[in-house]
C-alpha cells in the first residue's frame, strides 16, 4: 500500500519507518525543512534507539521517502496519516488542534481517488467528525473516510511498541476502510495482535482513557510512597506486593518525581477539559493532574531538606534531565520544575544527561552542562538522580565519593539500594523507602 505520514516527529517518523518495514511504500512529510534535510542525509532528528538502522534499511530498500512537499505523496496514497502535534492550548489546557486541522485542509486539497485519512495524533472526542467536515467542505465530491487510529508507543521503546503492540485500535464504522486498515496492519494480524475495531469517537476516547489511567496509576504509587516515608514502609515492596495481583499488574508502579513527557501531562489535562465541557467531570483525573503538578515542585523541597534545609551557594550535580531514559525529549520533564526551584533557592546546578543536553540547553538557563557523570559530580555538595539512565545505575560509588565535596545522594528513581549506598559512606535519600 502507499502511505503518507503528515508530521515526521516521534510518532510520525517511527510509525512511518515501521509501516515501511511492514512492506508498504511510505512518504514522511514534515514542514520543518531542517528535519527533512537531516533525514535525507541519514541523520535522525530525534534520539530513539534503533531508529537510524530501521530508517536506513527502508530507505535503501526504496520503501521510505522524506519530503517537505505533501503534494505528490498525498495524491498517490491509499492512506494518509495525520501525526502532527496536539500540544496543550495556552490558557485553557484543551488540546490545540490547529496543526491537525491545517493538515486536514492540506490533505483535502491534494488527495485523489478513494483515500483513508487517519488521525494518529492524540485528539479529543469529536475531532474526527471535524476533520471529516473540513475535508467535505473543501472537496464536496471527494471519496474518503476519516479513521481514528491512536498510537500507544512509548518513547525510548517506540519501535518495539509499534511492532509488537498490546493492541491496535481502529475507529471507523465503514467496512471498506476497515478492510484497508486490516491490510495495512497485516503483519500484526499474522502475529495475532488484538485489533479492536470500534466507532471513531470510542477510539478517540480510548487513547485518552489509557493515558489517564496510566498517569493515575503512577500518581497512586507516588502518594503511597509519601505514606511509606511517614510510616516506615518500603514502596517498592508495596508495589511488588500489589502488582503480583494480576488484576492490578506490576507495570507503571515505579514511584518517582512525578510523570512528565510529551503526553501524560497534556493528555490528562485535555481529558479533564473535555469532560468538564460535556458536564461529566473526571474528578480522579483532575486530582491526578493536581497531585502530579504539586509533586514535581515538592521534589525541590525534598532535595533542599536532604541538604540540611538550605542550598544557598551549594553545588548540586543533577544526573538525567529528560522525562525518562532513552529519549532526548525534554517536554514537561520533572527536571524543568526541580532545577529552577533549586536555582531560586540559591543553588548552583550542573547537569549531565546522555542525550538530553542539546535540548536542555535551551530550557535551563544558568545551568552548567558537563560531559559525563563523573565530571558532573566533581566538587558537588549533593548528587541528584532525576532520570534513570542505565549508565547511572552502575556508577562506581567509590569514585563518586572521592569526587564529591559532600557525599549526599538523592535518588528520585530508587535505582540504588539504601544499604549499598550507605556502605560507601553516603547520606542517601530515595523515594518511599525507610
Ligand atoms: P512532534 O512534535 O515530535 O512531531 C510533530 C511533527 O509534525 C513536527 O515535526 C512538525 O513539524 C510536523 N508538522 C506539523 N504540522 C505539519 C503539517 N501541516 N505538515 C507537515 N508536518 C507538520 O510530535 P509527536 O511527539 O510525534 O506527537 C504527535 C502526536 O502523536 C501528538 O498528538 C501526540 O500526543 C501523539 N503521540 C505521541 C507519542 C510520543 O511518544 N511522542 C505517543 C503516542 C501518541
Ligand atoms: C506514554 C504511554 O506510556 C504511551 O503508551 C503513550 O503512547 C504515550 O505516553 C503517548 O501518548 O505519547 P511516554 O510518555 O513515552 O509514553 O513514556 P512513559 O514510559 O509512559 O513515561 C511517562 C512518564 O511517567 C515518565 O516521566 C516516566 O518517568 C513516568 N513513569 C512511568 C513513572 O514515574 N513511573 C512508572 O512506573 C512509569
Amino acid at each position: 500500500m502507499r502511505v503518507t505520514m503528515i508530521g515526521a516527529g516521534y510518532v510520525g517518523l517511527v510509525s512511518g519507518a515501521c509501516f515501511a518495514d511492514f512492506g508498504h511504500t511510505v512518504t514522511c512529510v514534515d514542514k520543518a525543512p531542517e528535519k527533512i534535510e537531516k533525514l535525507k542525509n541519514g541523520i535522525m532528528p530525534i534520539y530513539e534507539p534503533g531508529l537510524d538502522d530501521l530508517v536506513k534499511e527502508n530507505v535503501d530498500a526504496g520503501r521510505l521517502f522524506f519530503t517537505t512537499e505533501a503534494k505528490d505523496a498525498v495524491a498517490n496514497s491509499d492512506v494518509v496519516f495525520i501525526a502532527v502535534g496536539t500540544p496543550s492550548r495556552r490558557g485553557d489546557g484543551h488540546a490545540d488542534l490547529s496543526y491537525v486541522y491545517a493538515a486536514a485542509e492540506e490533505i483535502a486539497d491534494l488527495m485523489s481517488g478513494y483515500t483513508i485519512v487517519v488521525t494518529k495524533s492524540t485528539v479529543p472526542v469529536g475531532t474526527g467528525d471535524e476533520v471529516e467536515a473540513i475535508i467535505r467542505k473543501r472537496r464536496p465530491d471527494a471519496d474518503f473516510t476519516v479513521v481514528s487510529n491512536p498510537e500507544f508507543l512509548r518513547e525510548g521503546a517506540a519501535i518495539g511498541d509499534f511492532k509488537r503492540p498490546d493492541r491496535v485500535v481502529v475507529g471507523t464504522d465503514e467496512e471498506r476502510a476497515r478492510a484497508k486498515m486490516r491490510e495495512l496492519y497485516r503483519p500484526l494480524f499474522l502475529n495475532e495482535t488484538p485489533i479492536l475495531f470500534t466507532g471513531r469517537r470510542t477510539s478517540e476516547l480510548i487513547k485518552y482513557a489509557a493515558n489517564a489511567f496510566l498517569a493515575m496509576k503512577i500518581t497512586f504509587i507516588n502518594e503511597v510512597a509519601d505514606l511509606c516515608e511517614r510510616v516506615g514502609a518500603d514502596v517498592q515492596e508495596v508495589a511488588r506486593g500489589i502488582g503480583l495481583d494480576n488484576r492490578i499488574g506490576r507495570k507503571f508502579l515505579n514511584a518517582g518525581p512525578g510523570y512528565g513527557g510529551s503526553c501524560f501531562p497534556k493528555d490528562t489535562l485535555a481529558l479533564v477539559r473535555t469532560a468538564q465541557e460535556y458536564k461529566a467531570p473526571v474528578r480522579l483525573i483532575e486530582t491526578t493532574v493536581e497531585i502530579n503538578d504539586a509533586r514535581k515542585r515538592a521534589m525541590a523541597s525534598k532535595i533542599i531538606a536532604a541538604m540540611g534545609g538550605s542550598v544557598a551557594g551549594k553545588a548540586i550535580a543533577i544526573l538525567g534531565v529528560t522525562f525518562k531514559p532513552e529519549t532526548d525529549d525534554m517536554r514537561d520533564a520533572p527536571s524543568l520544575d526541580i532545577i529552577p526551584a533549586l536555582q531560586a533557592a540559591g543553588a548552583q546546578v550542573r547537569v549531565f544527561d546522555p542525550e538530553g543536553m542539546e535540548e536542555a540547553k535551551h530550557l535551563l538557563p544558568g545551568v552548567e552542562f558537563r560531559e559525563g557523570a563523573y565530571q558532573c559530580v566533581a566538587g558537588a555538595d549533593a548528587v541528584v538522580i532525576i532520570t534513570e539512565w542505565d549508565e547511572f545505575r552502575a556508577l562506581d560509588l567509590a569514585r563518586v565519593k572521592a569526587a564529591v565535596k559532600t557525599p549526599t545522594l538523592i535518588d528520585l528513581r530508587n535505582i540504588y539500594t539504601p544499604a549499598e549506598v550507605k556502605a560507601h559512606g553516603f547520606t542517601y535519600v530515595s523515594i518511599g523507602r525507610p
Side-chain angles (χ1 to χ4, degrees):
M1 289 175 81
R2 301 188 76 90
V3 176
T4 294
M5 198 59 71
I6 306 287
Y10 287 87
V11 164
L13 181 55
V14 170
S15 316
C18 289
F19 279 130
D21 212 44
F22 287 173
H24 304 300
T25 303
V26 180
T27 305
C28 293
V29 182
D30 203 290
K31 64 179 180 187
E34 65 284 357
K35 260 186 200 178
I36 295 301
E37 198 51 38
K38 278 188 175 170
L39 285 165
K40 283 185 167 168
N41 289 310
I43 302 165
M44 295 305 106
I46 55 169
Y47 174 73
E48 181 61 44
L51 187 61
D52 41 3
D53 288 342
L54 187 73
V55 166
K56 186 177 181 327
E57 280 163 27
N58 285 283
V59 167
D60 290 350
R63 289 191 297 260
L64 182 59
F65 303 89
F66 302 104
T67 178
T68 52
E69 280 303 319
K71 193 164 179 259
D72 292 343
V74 171
N76 292 316
S77 282
D78 308 289
V79 183
V80 180
F81 280 92
I82 299 177
V84 300
T86 48
S88 273
R89 198 161 68 190
R90 264 178 214 286
D92 64 9
H94 273 286
D96 176 353
L97 295 172
S98 55
Y99 302 102
V100 171
Y101 294 154
E105 288 176 3
E106 226 171 297
I107 294 165
D109 295 345
L110 299 174
M111 66 193 199
S112 98
Y114 177 58
T115 307
I116 302 182
V117 179
V118 187
T119 42
K120 205 164 233 337
S121 298
T122 301
V123 293
V125 167
T127 304
D129 302 358
E130 187 58 31
V131 167
E132 186 175 321
I134 288 169
I135 299 176
R136 180 64 64 211
K137 188 164 174 223
R138 291 172 93 93
R139 294 283 299 278
D141 302 324
D143 189 14
F144 69 99
T145 307
V146 175
V147 173
S148 161
N149 172 221
E151 182 48 56
F152 299 99
L153 64 78
R154 289 162 301 164
E155 290 179 21
I159 295 169
D161 282 353
F162 192 91
K163 289 189 161 186
R164 290 177 296 282
D166 289 342
R167 79 314 205 175
V168 171
V169 175
V170 176
T172 175
D173 293 326
E174 275 198 44
E175 190 38 53
R176 63 178 175 161
R178 288 184 172 189
K180 286 274 185 196
M181 293 302 284
R182 235 178 249 127
E183 197 182 327
L184 189 66
Y185 280 106
R186 195 178 127 80
L188 299 189
F189 261 113
L190 299 178
N191 278 348
E192 298 189 355
T193 301
I195 309 221
L196 174 66
F197 287 103
T198 180
R200 196 163 61 196
R201 286 180 162 244
T202 303
S203 167
E204 289 167 339
L205 191 54
I206 285 171
K207 174 64 195 177
Y208 280 97
N211 273 2
F213 189 88
L214 292 170
M216 189 176 67
K217 195 172 180 189
I218 296 166
T219 304
F220 172 81
I221 202 67
N222 283 340
E223 285 211 303
V224 171
D226 288 349
L227 180 59
C228 285
E229 286 175 20
R230 295 294 172 94
V231 301
D234 181 332
V235 71
Q236 284 183 274
E237 299 283 308
V238 173
R240 204 168 300 136
I242 62 174
L244 284 168
D245 184 330
N246 281 331
R247 294 169 301 174
I248 295 174
R250 299 172 71 152
K251 293 178 180 167
F252 276 66
L253 285 177
N254 295 317
Y259 61 77
S262 63
C263 292
F264 285 173
K266 78 167 172 63
D267 292 346
T268 44
L269 201 55
L271 180 62
V272 162
R273 293 292 176 258
T274 300
Q276 285 169 347
E277 196 176 294
Y278 284 87
K279 306 226 175 328
V282 284
R283 290 192 299 271
L284 280 172
I285 307 308
E286 288 177 13
T287 306
T288 297
V289 170
E290 263 171 46
I291 296 170
N292 196 64
D293 285 348
R295 182 170 190 84
K296 293 198 256 182
R297 290 192 299 273
M299 287 300 119
S301 309
K302 185 178 174 88
I303 295 165
I304 294 169
M307 293 179 70
S310 168
V311 293
K314 290 190 179 161
I316 302 180
I318 304 276
L319 299 180
V321 286
T322 51
F323 79 96
K324 63 183 282 187
E326 297 301 334
T327 182
D328 56 353
D329 200 336
M330 286 292 299
R331 287 179 280 185
D332 270 315
S335 64
L336 297 176
D337 288 289
I338 298 169
I339 291 173
L342 294 175
Q343 289 172 314
Q348 282 150 15
V349 177
R350 71 280 285 275
V351 158
F352 170 67
D353 187 284
E355 294 292 338
M357 295 206 286
E358 238 353 89
E359 188 58 26
K361 281 174 187 161
H362 308 295
L363 302 167
L364 290 168
V367 161
E368 186 191 337
F369 289 90
R370 294 194 172 177
E371 290 299 331
Y374 296 103
Q375 289 88 325
C376 184
V377 303
D381 292 288
V383 177
V384 182
I385 297 169
I386 300 187
T387 314
E388 69 278 33
W389 285 91
D390 275 346
E391 68 170 279
F392 304 149
R393 291 178 187 270
L395 291 171
D396 176 347
L397 291 177
R399 188 173 164 195
V400 174
K401 170 98 186 303
V404 296
K405 192 162 145 209
T406 319
T408 297
L409 178 59
I410 300 156
D411 175 4
L412 302 184
R413 298 290 185 168
N414 290 355
I415 58 177
Y416 284 94
T417 54
E420 169 189 22
V421 184
K422 283 179 191 155
H424 280 89
F426 282 86
T427 301
Y428 180 64
V429 174
S430 61
I431 301 280
R433 297 192 292 186

